[in-house]
Amino acid sequence: VLLKIDAKTTLRVLGSKEWQGVVGTCFALIGNSDTSIRGRGAALLTHLLGLPQGVAAEADGTEAEAQAPVVTLTPEERTQLLALVQDYAGSEAEKAAAVLTLALSDDEERVRSVACGTIRALKPSGAALRDHLIENNAVVAAAALGAQAADVVEWLGGVEAVMRAEA
């Protein structure tokens, strides 16, 4: 629904004080036990955060879903939306880090890719998210992705942190 309504409504829903859990639900989808839901969650985060389409564009593997019309955001609206997601990741860092760490180790390439892209987009969220990602050993999961996540590994403490976590 967030992708099929107008941009102003999308921003109003994601920024609503009455529905603070909506942004968290966007994250929770990529941590769901159902492969189809994780794929849809990856597609949702891809569109909302303006991540490169890549493998996440397939959504749940169906052409129709991948080609469904989505809300178009102006650069200003995209900045507002990113700020809302970053605010969530800063205030709910433990929850966000848990889901993102899980997604970094997902069986599906598109979910792993979106997790990396989401972490990149959330770097400005503050130290709390980074600290919780480190606590969850996200650096090990990111390191397993190789060059695709080298910048994420570096941001989380580099190769030394991976070796300490594995020890």
Side-chain angles (χ1 to χ4, degrees), residues 20-162:
Q20 291 180 349
V22 176
V23 176
T25 300
C26 296
F27 279 83
L29 293 173
I30 64 169
N32 193 284
S33 61
D34 183 279
T35 303
S36 175
I37 293 172
R38 286 194 315 272
R40 290 174 188 263
L44 176 64
L45 283 174
T46 297
H47 291 298
L48 289 178
L49 297 177
L51 302 175
Q53 294 295 311
V55 292
E58 296 175 11
D60 69 346
T62 64
E63 272 307 304
E65 188 73 23
Q67 295 177 2
V70 296
V71 65
T72 302
L73 299 167
T74 66
E76 295 81 21
E77 291 167 334
R78 177 85 59 210
T79 300
Q80 290 173 2
L81 193 143
L82 185 56
L84 292 171
V85 176
Q86 288 171 342
D87 287 347
Y88 167 81
S91 65
E92 297 291 339
E94 188 173 0
K95 291 178 185 178
V99 170
L100 290 168
T101 301
L102 182 64
L104 283 171
S105 299
D106 197 86
D107 291 339
E108 297 289 327
E109 166 61 25
R110 66 181 176 255
V111 175
R112 293 189 308 262
S113 177
V114 168
C116 277
T118 301
I119 290 170
R120 285 183 192 102
L122 296 178
K123 284 181 182 180
S125 298
L129 177 65
R130 183 177 176 272
D131 292 346
H132 283 290
L133 285 165
I134 291 168
E135 285 174 21
N136 288 335
N137 287 325
V139 67
V140 174
L145 300 177
Q148 170 189 359
D151 61 319
V152 172
V153 170
E154 188 61 34
W155 181 66
L156 293 174
V159 176
E160 298 81 21
V162 173

